[in-house]
Each structure stands twice: as C-alpha cells, then as structure tokens.
Amino acid sequence: MIEAMSEKRSSTKSAVEVKAPEAPASTAPSPVVPGGMGGEPAHYDVIDAIRRGESVEPTVHESMSEADAVIQSDDFKLWYGDSQAIHGISMGVPRGAVTALIGPSGCGKSTFLRSINRMNDLVEGVRVEGGITLNGSPVYEPTVDVIELRKRLGMVFQKPNPFPMSIFENVVYPLRIDGERRKSVLQEACERSLKSAALWDEVKDRLKESALGLSGGQQQRLCIARAVVADPEVLLLDEPCSALDPVATIRIEELISEISERYTVLIVTHNMQQAARVSDYTAFMYLGRLVEYGPTGDIFQNPKLIETAHYVSGRFG
Amino acid sequence: MSGDRQESGVGGAKVARRRTLPSAVGEPMVWLTGSALVLCLLMIVTLATLVVVNGLRTFWPGDIDRVTLESGEVVMGIRTAEDKQGRYLYRVGNRDIGQESFRWIDGDKIAQVEQPEHAVMLEREAWGVWFGMPESVSMEADDGSLVALSEGAAETLDQFALLHPDARAQRAKAESMRKRELGKINHGIEHARLRIAGAEMGVDLRENASDRLGWVSWSAVSVVVVLAGFVWWVGREVGVGIGSSGVRQGKLTRFGCALIVVFGLVGIWVGAPWRTQGVTAAERDVIVAQMEHVQEQLQAEYERVLAEIRMSEEQDSKLRLVVVEPTTDRFAPIAQTRGDEPMMLSQVVRLIPANQLSVVGKTKVFFSRWWEFLSSGPREANTEGGVYPVIVGTVLMTLLLTVFVTPLGVIAALYLREYAKQGFGTSVIRIAVNNLAGVPSIVYGVFGLGFFCYTVGRYVDTGPVAGTSLQSGVWWLMFGAAIVTAIVSFAFGLWGKPDPGSTSTIGNRVLARMSWLGWGVTVVLAVMVLWRTPYFAGFFGARAAEGSPTFGARGLLWASLTLALLTLPVVIVATEEAIAAVPNSMREGSFGCGASKWQTIRRIVLPGALPGILTGAILAMARGAGEVAPLMLVGAVKLNQDLPVSTTAPFLHADRSFMHLGFHIYDLGFQSPDSQAARPMVWTTTLLFLCIVFALNLAAILIRAKLRGRMTGAAI
C-alpha cells in the first residue's frame, strides 16, 4: 500500500506543473448548487453559495472513497463562541499518504487540523458537533483522555517553537513526559528521530547545546523530530514553512516527502506550489466548508470545479 | 514633495504650515529630563557617600587632646566637632565619675592644647570610654594591699601589653563557662521542672478526659471515608452513573480519591480515640521522683561550676590598672560604687594610646574595632561592642521570609495565571493583591501580633482555649462532615466541567459554583475541627501555664511569617508577569507533545519564568530586609544575646525573639542612654545594614544569572 502510494507520488510530482489548467466551464461537471444555474455566469456558483451561507455538497473525487482513512471526520462542525468556523466537514485522510489542506485565509483549515488533536480545547468557548475518529476510535467523546489522544498524534506549528532546553532534551521531550528515564532508550530515540528529520548530521556534535541557537529551518526540523520521536499515528503540520526562508522551505518539503514513507501526514498550507509538490491528496476548503477533495494531480490539473481551478492558479482567493 | 502636499489641501486650498513651534524644539526637554536624572543620582550618591564616610570614620582612633582652660581646669578628650561660635565639642568619656561624656568648650577660654604622648583612651566592659594618663599596673597582694608592678606611663603601657591578653582570655573563659555550662545546667533544671509541671497537668487531663466517646463516631467516620473512596473508585471504573467527566479525568480522580482516603485515615489516626492522654497518678509520682533526682544532681553540678568560675574571677580581679584622668585626678574605678579601687586589667577591652600610634598602628586599631564590631555581642546598652547577634538575626529572618514567601507566592500566581479562568474574579483578586502592597507595614505588625503570636502561637502552646473544645461526638461529626463535603466538592468540581468540545451548560455552571461553595464549607469545617479539637492540649502547655509562652509570644517565626505576608504581593505580581511572558507557542508545543497541564507548567512555564520569579524573590527579600515597623511588634528586641541558631537541638530556635539591624539603628539613635556617643555607631550600623542587604541581593542576582544562563545559554 505504502509502496504504491510513494510510487504514485513520484509520478504526480514529476507530472504536476503548476499552471492554470484552462478548464472551460463546459468540461467541469455542473456544480451542485441548488438553483445555482440561473442567469448568472456559472463561474463561482459554489463559492457564491457558500458566501451566501448555503450548504454545499463537496465535490469528492471517486478515487477518494477507495482509500483507507486513518482520520475520518463525519459532518464535523465547530463554533468559536457564536461564530461558526467549520460547517460540517466530512472527509477521510488516507493512510500512509500526504494530504494537504488548502484554501484562502480564514477558511478553517488550521482550525480543522487543530480539532484533530483537540488543541482547540485550549481556546475558551469552543463547541463542536459531529465526530472525528482516529483509527476508528473517537476523538470527541467524554471517555477520551485528551492527553492520551495527543500522544497518538505529532504536531508541528507555524512558527518553530523549540523549548528553551538542549537539542537532546527537545527531541526526547515527549518521552520524558511519559516518564522514560533510561539513557540508552532516550539516546537511541533521539538519534533515530533526528535522522528521520534530516538533522542528525548537523547537530550530532552539539546535542547538549541550546536548541534556541539553531537557525529557523533547523528549529523547524527539530520540531518535526520532536513530533515523530514517539511514533505518532498521524503527523499534523500546520503551515510548517510559513515562517521560513525558501531554502529552508525546500528542505522541509523534502523532509515531508521522506517522512511520509513512514507516517501519514496531514499538512495545512496556503502555498499552492507546496501542496502540489509534497502532497498526494489535496482538499480545497472555503469559509469552513470542504469544496473539492481529490488526488493532488487531479485537483491541480483536472479539477472538477472551476473555482478550484481558478484558486490553484491564483486567479481567485 | 512639497508641491504634492500643497496640492493635496482640501478643496485645492493651500494649507500653509506654520513655522516650527518653540515647543517642538526638543533640546530643552533633553536638558530637563537629563537634569532630573542627575538630581536623582546626586541624591543617591550623596546618601551613599554620607553613610560610607561617616560609617567608616567611627572606628578610626582620633588624637587625644589635653586642654587647659583659662580657669585652670584641665580636660582630656577627643575633639569631634566645632560650631560657628568657635566652640569645640570634646568627647571626654569618664561617665562613671559623674561627668557628661561630651562637652562643649569655648575656643576663647582655652589656654593651651597639647597632645601628651602617653595619653590613652580605654574602652571598657562598662561605662563607656575613659580618657587619662596611665600610671601603674598593680597586683593585689594577699593582704589586700596593691603592689605596683610598673611605674610611669611608658613602663605601664609595656606592662599592660604584656599582661592584658592573658587577663582577657581568662575573663572570656569564665564568661563562656557562665554562659555555656551554667546555661546548660540551668536548661536541664528547667526541663526537669517542666516535666514535673507537665506530669501534674497530665493527671488533670486524664481525670477530665472522661468525655471520650470517640470510638463510635470514629468507626462511623472511618467507614464513611473508606466507603466514599471505594465507591468513587468503582464508579470511575464503571464509568456510568457517576458522570462522564469523572471518567475523563481518570487519573486525577484516582489520585483525588486516594488523597481523600489518606487524609481521612491520617485525621482518624491523629484524633485516635485509642490513644490515652495524660498520665496516671502513679506514673506522675515516678516522673516526679526521677526529675527531682535529676534536679539534685544538676544543682550540685551547678555549685561546682560556679565555684570554679568564682575562683577564676577572683584570680582575675588581682591585676589592676591605674589610669588617672586630669580634671579631678581620679583613676578609673572598678565599679561606679567603688570609686576607691582601680579597675581590673581584664575590664579593659582595648587600650588606645592614640597620640603615639603611627598610621599603621591606628589602622590596626581600626580593623580590630571592625572585627569586634562584626564578631561580638553588644555592650553598654548597644552603644559599644559588636552587632554579631544583630547580623545573625537580620540575615536569618530575611532568609526565612524568602523561604516562606517565594513558594507561596509562586503557587498562588500559578493558579491565578495558568488555572483560573480569567475574568471578573481574577481581576478583583489582582487589584486586591496590588492593594495589599500599599497597606502600611505597621498594620501587618498588628495583624502578626494578634494573629500569629497571640492566636496561632497560643494554640501551638496550649491547644484550644479552655472551654471551647468540642464534645468528642460533635467533633467527630464535624470531622466526618468536612470529609464528606470535600469529596462532594471534588466530585462537583469534576462534573462541573463541560464535555469536550462543548461550552458549559447551566448545569455545569451550577455544579461548579456548588463545588466552590462546598470547598468553602470544607475549609470552615476543617478550621473548626482543628481549632476546637478535644484531642490536642498544646506542645508547650506547662511553660505557658507559668506565664512564659514559647510560640505564643513574639519570635523569629512569626516575624518572618508577618514579613512574608507583607512581601507576598511583590512575589505574586512578579511571578505573574514572568509567567505571562512565557510565549504561548511554548505551551502549545508542549500540549501538542501530549504533556498535561502540570507537566507543561513544570517543564516549560516554570523554567522559562524562573528568572522573573527569582527577581520577585529578590525584590521581596530586599523589601523584607528593610522593614522595621512590623518587627517592633512581632519579634525584634533591643537585646537578646541568645542567637536564634545554636548547636543544640532543634538548632533553629524560631520561637526566640531576635535582634534586627533596622531596629538596632533606631534603638542606638533614640533609645540609648548616651545617644551622642551612639551616633557614630548609628552610621556604622547603617553602613553595615546597607552592605548586608546589598550582599543578599547580590547573591540572589548571581544565582539568577547562573540559572538564566542555564535556561537559555549554550551550556546546559
């Protein structure tokens, strides 16, 4: 399965050219908008409906239903106080692949990501409806221990946030809080995860030095190493490159491709090229709703909605 | 550009800009602000200079003048000041022969001033300094007559230098024996006496302790406690019926149950009805007989040591020194009432032939006086001698208060910033805490005296006030009620939390309020249970019954606690700021790794806030060290040579009153019998106080710098 995935990814990567597919309205299937095919130009039917606050059925490519979902959300809704940020998202995140969430600012992609490991619990006044399951076990159930849940997921944030400790301590932090004290185990885990974060060669001689002395890109790779040290079921990346320079960004992207051979990755990005480069599947979100979801190649080159086509080519959003 | 601006005027009208206003010219403000800063610095530098100069001058020996007045009167002393009318202030000492120790002399009336080579200033054990000419060192013969060992000033000084160290050593030995060995024996006798008194009280206690139906209520409560814990535990495992939140907080719940059960068991054990109290009459007789025997033995030992000391002192009193002062031709007496006998050699602390000393010699005197100042206890109503016990008292109190206030303040701030829901309640608490910092410190003193010394201290000494302790049945009832309310409040607190992903419902909020209410009731009940227990009669009842309370009086412990309360706002505010300064991304990162709230606080927040917390502790320490007013009420005394630390158990005597530099300065300046002579000591003590506060702060700052380096620097 994984092999098949990586094979497919390599083909997608080479194939994807980020340029606007000149998709005429006629080739795209008609958007599912109740009463949306009026006299108005058909261009942004779905988007307009969403803007009007109407419920829209997402366009999910057929191949998605075949995939084995590690995370499955079922009509998931989320409110910050009185304002609704997510309007019923139902989607599955395929196992062993990289799935990207794209969409304009404020479309709820980060919120959705943070709902999976319940980081939104930290925000005052958050309310959810519907459910998310992680490998079949529910995320929003009263019986779920949120600490245990977060231990099953690794998370990397927008800004690199290494702790003010040594590099070594940063990497083994998740093990430390689980009470692991055996030096050999910690060292082994530290080396393994630093290697998988492609940071080992750069820091192996200064593991005892403060992590704050690393460059931004190194810090972010350190955060990735920290996220994978405890073998998470899914790795959640929340715009991991938005605070980095282009060179560091490329390294992180390469790293994501490498790491996805071992882990399922869900990445939020507002950089379309990045989504095209690193992901196997792409979900386009708009104002808290899923608009189109399918294999990255299709989304970027042969999307079913004109909105998606225009968004990924930068004409809109 | 200017063209653009002109055209951009509203409606095409030109907006003419006026020329730069004088107020827009910045230079005067630079001067104003700069000079304000200079003024501040100047004041601080002046203060520091004044203290340092005056403080250092005290111990420098001045030249001794022999002043002959036109009236023929001769005065000997050290010139210390002069005024505009040309009068000179001489320190003339010799108080024990009825002389004022300072004297203004009119410059016009002086016939002659000379500085006799052998003039000496004596620092004595009592009655201050003595100025005069040394005449002889004598030895008392067996028949009581004095045999001169030296004649003439020069020879006397040599002879003195030869004999003085031994004489002092012998005196010191006798004194230390009096203090140490006699003190120990006295302590033993006192202990035995208290044991006897305690035994007598124990009989009363046993006879009056008929009201003990403890067993029944104890059994009931213990069953309730164990059942409550068990039910909770099972409920958690089953997960149904007891509320979903209870399951969600799995570990916390388990821990809470265990804690409550443990508390309950400890409480039951403490109030154990199976333990007998007091002693029977037969046991009392045994104790009394034993202790009386001990007392006899100690009394004999006391006589023996006292005889030894007496002999040593007698030997000591044989060597005499005759130093004659010129005004009345009288020599320094052995005591004020025995003016016809010259003083003992050993009574001289230091002899300073100031006029024949070179700079090196004077420097030696200077340092020897500093050493005495720092290492020995005070003499002469604190105006002479040293301040060693004062330093110990000050430093100890400051350290204790820091030890008390830092953890308390940090924990309180942690709750306020990390756990409490930010809102109206926390704002009110913050304002209240800040206001607390503005309360006049004497108010804390009054509170400390009333609450710590007379209420808590008395309770520690003698237990509940007679007549207020509860009937045992009622007590057990309240004890059980306290435990039940604790369990219920805990449960309500958990159930009051909303389910994941949902906002709290009215039911949640009501439960949360009920939980707080329940905790309030629990605290009240717990205090009542503690305060009115029939099973506690104090730790120091016997001594308190005789009117000498142990903890029920002013002391180091209560003073430190009072000052801890006083400095609490400083620590809370500083810690809160430090905690708030830890970036939220750190907390998120930690939560994202699956850390719990407490793990995040302990591993991320606290280390990050540590430098700020230590700054708070330093500020609190500085504030506490400089506070005097409350100390006058809760523990600082004019004189207590018994240090609050010692080599005998319990080593730290927190119940003792202590000496404090701030209070000492006040005492020297305004309460001493010879305040003019004490004035230089005021400066010196002030200098020392400043140095100690600086040293404490510096130490704390160094520790902080080291820790900060460890937190952020390269070497971890």
Side-chain angles (χ1 to χ4, degrees), chain B residues 175-219:
Chain B
E175 226 156 62
S176 96
M177 269 172 80
R178 199 183 272 279
K179 206 166 145 186
R180 293 255 167 77
E181 296 191 23
L182 288 191
K184 212 192 275 176
I185 293 168
N186 269 332
H187 186 261
I189 293 174
E190 175 71 7
H191 180 72
R193 199 180 57 72
L194 286 174
R195 280 287 298 276
I196 292 173
E200 303 283 358
M201 280 173 71
V203 172
D204 287 351
L205 195 68
R206 194 181 185 90
E207 281 166 3
N208 295 333
S210 53
D211 161 42
R212 297 174 62 82
L213 50 93
W215 272 110
V216 178
S217 26
W218 174 82
S219 315

Side-chain angles (χ1 to χ4, degrees), chain A:
Chain A
M1 171 81 184
I2 290 174
E3 277 163 29
M5 281 294 176
S6 50
E7 195 175 301
K8 192 176 65 170
R9 178 173 52 248
S10 54
S11 62
T12 1
K13 253 184 231 153
S14 53
V16 170
E17 282 287 303
V18 187
K19 67 176 194 206
E22 291 298 320
S26 59
T27 59
S30 52
V32 192
V33 182
M37 294 298 274
E40 288 289 309
H43 276 69
Y44 295 149
D45 286 347
V46 175
I47 293 299
D48 287 342
I50 290 174
R51 280 188 185 146
R52 285 196 300 273
E54 285 165 22
S55 179
V56 176
E57 202 59 37
T59 310
V60 180
H61 295 218
E62 294 79 29
S63 56
M64 295 310 300
S65 54
E66 298 159 15
D68 169 25
V70 59
I71 295 169
Q72 181 72 51
S73 82
D74 182 25
D75 196 24
F76 183 76
K77 296 172 184 156
L78 183 142
W79 289 261
Y80 287 121
D82 289 333
S83 68
Q84 191 168 3
I86 294 179
H87 299 260
I89 287 184
S90 300
M91 67 180 275
V93 177
R95 191 183 300 279
V98 179
T99 306
L101 295 175
I102 59 170
S105 298
C107 70
K109 52 194 190 307
S110 275
T111 302
F112 180 67
L113 188 84
R114 293 162 66 94
S115 300
I116 294 167
N117 66 349
R118 282 177 59 179
M119 289 299 279
N120 283 326
D121 284 16
L122 303 174
V123 182
E124 195 72 33
V126 162
R127 185 161 57 87
V128 301
E129 261 178 34
I132 298 178
T133 54
L134 172 64
N135 273 329
S137 65
V139 170
Y140 286 91
E141 281 290 315
T143 45
V144 171
D145 185 342
V146 64
I147 305 289
E148 296 297 332
L149 171 76
R150 289 188 190 139
K151 283 177 185 170
R152 293 164 63 189
L153 297 151
M155 179 147 189
V156 177
F157 297 82
Q158 271 185 34
K159 245 184 81 188
N161 59 351
F163 303 134
M165 328 165 164
S166 67
I167 293 169
F168 178 80
E169 287 300 325
N170 257 286
V171 176
V172 301
Y173 183 81
L175 303 178
R176 282 264 190 229
I177 58 177
D178 288 348
E180 181 61 70
R181 278 162 198 228
R182 283 167 297 170
K183 194 96 185 156
S184 58
V185 174
L186 291 176
Q187 270 165 348
E188 200 265 346
C190 174
E191 181 174 345
R192 181 171 42 78
S193 64
L194 278 175
K195 274 180 178 160
S196 54
L199 194 59
W200 175 251
D201 291 332
E202 289 163 63
V203 300
K204 66 181 176 204
D205 298 324
R206 47 180 180 141
L207 290 175
K208 299 281 169 219
E209 286 174 28
S210 171
L212 302 180
L214 298 175
S215 73
Q218 287 174 323
Q219 287 187 357
Q220 195 63 303
R221 274 181 281 148
L222 181 68
C223 292
I224 293 175
R226 186 173 72 194
V228 300
V229 72
D231 269 329
E233 292 166 32
V234 178
L235 193 57
L236 306 174
L237 307 177
D238 187 0
E239 300 187 23
C241 302
S242 64
L244 301 180
D245 61 73
V247 177
T249 302
I250 288 171
R251 297 221 49 180
I252 299 281
E253 285 175 8
E254 286 167 5
L255 175 60
I256 292 170
S257 304
E258 275 173 44
I259 257 182
S260 66
E261 285 165 24
R262 284 187 297 277
Y263 301 104
T264 307
V265 177
L266 182 60
I267 178 171
V268 164
T269 178
H270 52 211
N271 179 337
M272 259 84 68
Q273 288 90 332
Q274 187 171 65
R277 281 194 294 266
V278 302
S279 68
D280 305 308
Y281 299 99
T282 300
F284 171 45
M285 288 173 69
Y286 188 75
L287 285 184
R289 287 191 166 87
L290 184 62
V291 178
E292 185 165 354
Y293 184 27
T296 301
D298 292 347
I299 291 286
F300 278 87
Q301 288 183 319
N302 191 21
K304 295 189 175 168
L305 295 182
I306 183 95
E307 284 89 345
T308 310
H310 284 187
Y311 180 73
V312 298
S313 62
R315 281 199 237 160
F316 143 82

